[in-house]
Every structure is written in C-alpha cells, then in structure tokens.
Amino acid sequence: MNSPSSILVTGGAGFIGSTFILDWLRPGAERSPIVNLDKLTYAGNPETLASIETSPLYTFAHGDICDADLVRSLLARHQPRAIVHFAAESHVDRSIVGPDAFLRTNIDGTFTLLQAARAYFQGLEGDKRKQFRFLHVSTDEVFGSLEANDPAFCETTPYSPKSPYAASKAASDHLVRAWAHTYGLPALITNCSNNYGPHQFPEKLIPLVLTYALRGKSLPIYGDGQQVRDWLYVGDHASAIRAVLDRGRLGETYNIGGNNQRSNLEVVLAICALLDELVPKSAYRPHRQLLTYVQDRPGHDRRYAINARKIERELGWRPAESFETGLRKTVQWYLDNTEWVERVTSGAYRDWEQTNYTDRGGARGSARDQMKADPEVTR
Ligand code: NAD
Ligand code: TYD
C-alpha cells in the first residue's frame, strides 16, 4: 500500500498527464507516490513513462475510469490525498467523426470518478479529509469561439461549447461543480488553452505538421488558416496544475494560458522556418512549400484566447517558456525522437489519417501531388 500522501492521476500515459507525472517524480521534486490509472487508448503511451516505470514511487493501473469497481478499489488501496483527472478523449476532429467515445469517457467517466471520490471523501477524517482535493483538468474550448476583437476568456465567461469534444468537457466541468456545490466535494477546475511540447500525439496541429514536414508530406491547413489558438508549453501547464493543487482555493476555477495567440498559418510557418534552420540538408527546404489548404473542419472555432490573470494574481504562477523558446524545444525533441513518433503512429493511426484527410482534398501523398498554397499571399 502507498503512503497516504500519494496522488491518483487519471490519463497519465497521455500527453499532458505524462508530463505532469515526469515532473512530479523528477529528482529534486516532491516525489510522493503517484498512481496512474490509464486505459491506454491510441493516445496513451506507457513508453513515455519508461524512465520512472520501475520507481517505487510509481504504480500503473491499466483500466477505464468508467469502471466504478476499479476506481473504488484503487482509492481504497492507495488512499490518495488527491485525484488529478486528465483522462479524456481529446481530439476535436475525432469527436466530429465519432462522438460516442467522448460522451462515454469525458462525461460518464468523470461522473464515475466523482461518485467514487465522493464516497471516498465521506469516509475520510481529520487531516486526510482537510487535505483531499479533486482537480479536474479541462479546456478553454468550453467557452466557445471568439471574434477577432473579443476579450479573452476569463473564469466568468459563459460556457458556449461548439464541438462534441468541447460539449463533453463542458458537461464534465458542470458535473464537477455540481458535486462540489451539492456534496461538498473539495474540487478545483482548470481550463487551459492549447498545449504543445514533447510527447504530443501527432494528430494535433504542431506535431502533425512537424512530422509531416520531416517526411516531405504536404501540411494540411484547414480553411483559410487564420484561426487563432493561444499556445502554452506543456511543462508550463504541468507547473500550473501543481500550483492549483497546492494553493488553489477550493471550489474555484483557474484559467491557464501563455498569452501566445497565433494564427494556425503563423504556427505552421514558424515550424517550417525552424526546420529549415535545424535540418539544413533537408530535401524539402524551404519547408513552407509543403503548405496545402484543405477543406475546413465543420463548425471550426475561430479564436481562443485565455486571460490567465487570476492564477497569476492568486497563485503567483507564470509560464516559463515563450512561444519561441517552447517551439524550438519541441521541434528539437521531435527531431531527436523519430522512433517514438514511428512507434505511436503505426497501426490504427494510419486508418485515422485516411479517415480525416482523404476527403479534404489534400495532405496525403507527396507535396508535388497537391495544390500548393502561397502563405505570403494569405498572410
Ligand atoms: P491525450 O489524448 O494525449 O491523453 C489522454 C489519456 O487519457 C491517454 O493516456 C488515454 O489512454 C487516457 N484515457 C482515455 N480514455 C480513458 C478512459 N476511459 N479511462 C482511462 N484512461 C483513458 O490528452 P491530453 O492532451 O494529454 O489532455 C489531457 C487532459 O487535458 C484532457 O482532459 C484534455 O481535455 C485537457 N486539455 C488538453 C489540452 C491540449 O491542448 N492537449 C488543452 C487543455 C486541456
Ligand atoms: P488541434 O491541434 O486539433 O487543436 P484544437 O482543435 O483543440 O484547437 O488544432 C489546432 C488548430 O489547427 C485548429 O484550428 C485546427 C487546425 N488544424 C489544421 O489546420 N490542420 C490539421 O491537420 C489539424 C490537425 C489542425
């Protein structure tokens, strides 16, 4: 049995959860025991956690957050002082093609966890009861889409989710708030902007563009490429979650963002420029020649932007990376870890590429086969 100061993480084999765990167990950090409950969907890669796999402080539980018996038994056995809930289906395009898994994991799964956490919390006494936290990791996409001049999302912005993914995350946030309000569950919610960094599954924009460009495949820009996202380096998200877990006020929501609004086109061009510099012998230089406009995402949110003043003011959290430093680190990591990419993108991922990109009129096959976009013209 782990000590009472352990924490239970869900979805810790995914992009952000694994970053959080590696940071939690890094030499010099707090290093209290951590239990990782993960179903290992296509997005979960235990290999990311290989360096801590045999640590006595790390326990992996392979399973589904919708499995109430499993969640109950993990809580009973490990007596965690907190649950940090990352597990989710997280890709908007997949939610459009097949929303079922999103409703199941993001809504039913969160409900299952909340019920188990509530029963567990009711049985706690004294300091253990005072200490306990349920931290729900959510997204800025619950707030919907901004126009160019709208102010950034703050914690009081009304929810207006537009995609099946965003709707399922909004539903889970509402459940967490209801469990805090009605049953007194000591919950916290974080709503973060788009993350990027090492170990991100290459279905998301930044790693997709990076890995395609390295192979000379055309780079699919949805619609006009002028959609704006507010990018945060994943290590900064992990440190923000730490701050909220340690010092966040119970029942509160904290928006997390890096104040790095960029259009998709700007992001892709920045990646291409870094690749031109870091892979000077590439046959595909200049990489920007690979840009290809493809059919837009249905219901595509135009702009997200986060006002992160509350977490800065109350908890003293600030991102350590600028977009430029974080992107450079990310590009270098993907250049150094091509085998990781090969392994995670084999098998079923190929089917997903087929599903998502074949009918968009671009992005498959070699660059020469595609109609090219001139980024200068549309900038
Ligand atoms: P991810 O898709 O990389 O990883 C999700 C992890 O959850 C995987 O390891 C997967 O195996 C696991 N999982 C999925 N269904 C499960 C289930 N039913 N039971 C147990 N485990 C299951 O996701 P991510 O990008 O690391 O996102 C983590 C969390 O952060 C999500 O809740 C997401 O909504 C939120 N978030 C993500 C971003 C972003 O830019 N990626 C931004 C803000 C918030
Ligand atoms: P994504 O990484 O899927 O994150 P989200 O949809 O959660 O913001 O996409 C980021 C932006 O990049 C979004 O506006 C959609 C766009 N995009 C493309 O233009 N081409 C692509 O192939 C992908 C995957 C995304």
Side-chain angles (χ1 to χ4, degrees), residues 77 102 121 196 199 210 268 346:
R77 191 173 337 133
F102 288 73
F121 175 66
Y196 68 99
H199 298 118
L210 253 167
V268 174
S346 59

Side-chain angles (χ1 to χ4, degrees), residues 78-313:
H78 296 282
Q79 298 279 305
R81 70 168 167 87
I83 299 174
V84 185
H85 176 32
F86 294 95
E89 289 291 337
S90 69
H91 187 34
V92 173
D93 291 319
R94 286 189 193 251
S95 82
I96 294 167
V97 172
D100 316 45
F102 288 73
L103 272 63
R104 189 174 171 279
T105 287
N106 300 1
I107 304 177
D108 287 351
T110 302
F111 166 67
T112 305
L113 274 183
L114 285 167
Q115 286 290 71
R118 179 187 152 208
Y120 171 70
F121 175 66
Q122 275 165 358
L124 294 179
E125 287 172 355
D127 281 351
K128 276 175 141 185
R129 190 178 170 82
K130 255 191 247 150
Q131 268 187 351
F132 185 72
R133 298 286 182 273
F134 184 102
L135 195 159
H136 178 60
V137 179
S138 193
T139 166
D140 61 356
E141 304 192 24
V142 298
F143 299 119
S145 180
L146 295 169
E147 298 298 329
N149 295 318
D150 287 344
F153 303 129
C154 58
E155 287 77 2
T156 52
T157 302
Y159 276 31
S160 181
K162 301 280 195 291
S163 71
Y165 164 67
S168 68
K169 290 296 290 187
S172 68
D173 293 11
H174 288 319
L175 290 175
V176 175
R177 278 199 192 94
W179 261 240
H181 181 80
T182 308
Y183 304 114
L185 188 74
L188 298 144
I189 297 178
T190 56
N191 293 94
C192 188
S193 60
N194 283 62
N195 284 211
Y196 68 99
H199 298 118
Q200 186 168 31
F201 195 82
E203 65 187 356
K204 305 277 169 67
L205 179 71
I206 288 182
L208 181 120
V209 162
L210 253 167
T211 52
Y212 276 23
L214 286 174
R215 285 185 279 147
K217 287 181 68 165
S218 39
L219 310 178
I221 309 290
Y222 294 170
D224 63 3
Q226 294 302 321
Q227 303 81 9
V228 170
R229 299 292 183 261
D230 190 348
W231 295 95
L232 182 72
Y233 189 69
V234 66
D236 285 325
H237 191 182
S239 73
I241 291 170
R242 270 304 272 263
V244 174
L245 190 60
D246 291 348
R247 309 189 290 285
R249 284 188 294 133
L250 281 188
E252 291 291 315
T253 288
Y254 293 91
N255 279 3
I256 304 171
N259 206 11
N260 285 308
Q261 292 179 56
R262 299 282 188 285
S263 73
N264 293 340
L265 202 55
E266 286 173 318
V267 169
V268 174
L269 288 173
I271 295 169
C272 289
L274 278 166
L275 288 176
D276 289 349
E277 177 196 326
L278 297 170
V279 196
K281 297 210 172 105
S282 166
Y284 310 115
R285 281 178 92 234
H287 290 88
R288 59 188 296 155
Q289 69 176 313
L290 299 168
L291 260 73
T292 306
Y293 290 109
V294 300
Q295 195 185 317
D296 207 352
R297 172 187 281 173
H300 200 167
D301 285 344
R302 195 66 180 164
R303 174 174 163 246
Y304 305 139
I306 277 277
N307 174 338
R309 280 202 282 276
K310 178 176 171 181
I311 187 171
E312 273 187 47
R313 194 179 58 241

Side-chain angles (χ1 to χ4, degrees), residues 215 337-347 350:
R215 285 185 279 147
N337 291 275
T338 47
E339 309 82 25
W340 182 91
V341 174
E342 276 305 312
R343 278 194 290 272
V344 303
T345 54
S346 59
R350 301 277 150 86

Side-chain angles (χ1 to χ4, degrees), residues 309-359:
R309 280 202 282 276
K310 178 176 171 181
I311 187 171
E312 273 187 47
R313 194 179 58 241
E314 285 191 16
L315 309 183
W317 173 86
R318 268 169 211 276
E321 301 290 343
S322 68
F323 186 66
E324 285 65 33
T325 59
L327 192 65
R328 183 173 284 274
K329 279 189 183 173
T330 304
V331 171
Q332 193 60 58
W333 187 87
Y334 280 88
L335 288 173
D336 294 341
N337 291 275
T338 47
E339 309 82 25
W340 182 91
V341 174
E342 276 305 312
R343 278 194 290 272
V344 303
T345 54
S346 59
Y349 179 66
R350 301 277 150 86
D351 300 335
W352 166 249
E353 284 181 297
Q354 194 78 30
T355 307
N356 194 41
Y357 293 106
T358 305
D359 293 338

